[in-house]
Amino acid sequence: MEIEDHVYYDCIALKEVYFEDATSTLKIGQGYGTNTGMFTINKVKKAYIGRNLQHSIYEGTFRYNDSIEEVTFGNCVTEVSYGCFTGCNNLTKIKFGNNIKTIKDFAFAN
């Protein structure tokens, strides 16, 4: 499955994101503009990630989202990808599933 570039652009009322449990990888496009992830400008506060995410190496999915506070990884997730939550300064609660094997560089860097 794939979510193409800019799909959630201007969805400023979006508060929660839920990627269902699955063993297949979900490919995430980039956000709008340079150095923006899919959910950079949204006001998403909470995310449930039930599958592995693949995105452009320079475009972390939630990169620089100042609104996100909580993320939960389901048991199908084995890896937190490069830069996925870089610069998410208000992220204070992270719950990992039982099968996390790899947390890539800069996954949670500030």
Side-chain angles (χ1 to χ4, degrees):
M1 183 175 179
E2 180 176 352
I3 300 174
E4 295 187 8
D5 294 350
H6 319 302
V7 170
Y8 295 102
Y9 179 72
D10 227 10
C11 294
I12 58 174
L14 188 62
K15 301 290 184 223
E16 289 189 28
V17 175
Y18 184 92
F19 297 118
E20 76 282 357
D21 293 319
T23 55
S24 61
T25 298
L26 177 62
K27 184 176 179 184
I28 301 284
Q30 69 179 14
Y32 190 78
T34 305
N35 291 323
T36 60
M38 181 65 72
F39 298 101
T40 296
I41 64 169
N42 303 96
K43 301 299 180 190
V44 173
K45 291 182 178 272
K46 186 176 182 180
Y48 177 83
I49 301 171
R51 57 171 65 196
N52 289 324
L53 302 178
Q54 174 190 352
H55 52 81
S56 168
I57 196 164
Y58 299 110
E59 311 294 344
T61 305
F62 292 89
R63 185 178 183 163
Y64 298 116
N65 179 320
D66 286 333
S67 297
I68 195 158
E69 299 170 350
E70 179 179 339
V71 63
T72 300
F73 295 95
N75 289 329
C76 292
V77 178
T78 59
E79 175 180 293
V80 180
S81 52
Y82 178 96
C84 195
F85 295 94
T86 293
C88 295
N89 296 323
N90 291 311
L91 182 59
T92 57
K93 188 174 186 179
I94 303 168
K95 297 178 188 176
F96 292 104
N98 297 330
N99 293 312
I100 295 283
K101 292 179 176 68
T102 306
I103 298 176
K104 296 281 189 167
D105 292 341
F106 305 106
F108 298 98
N110 283 326

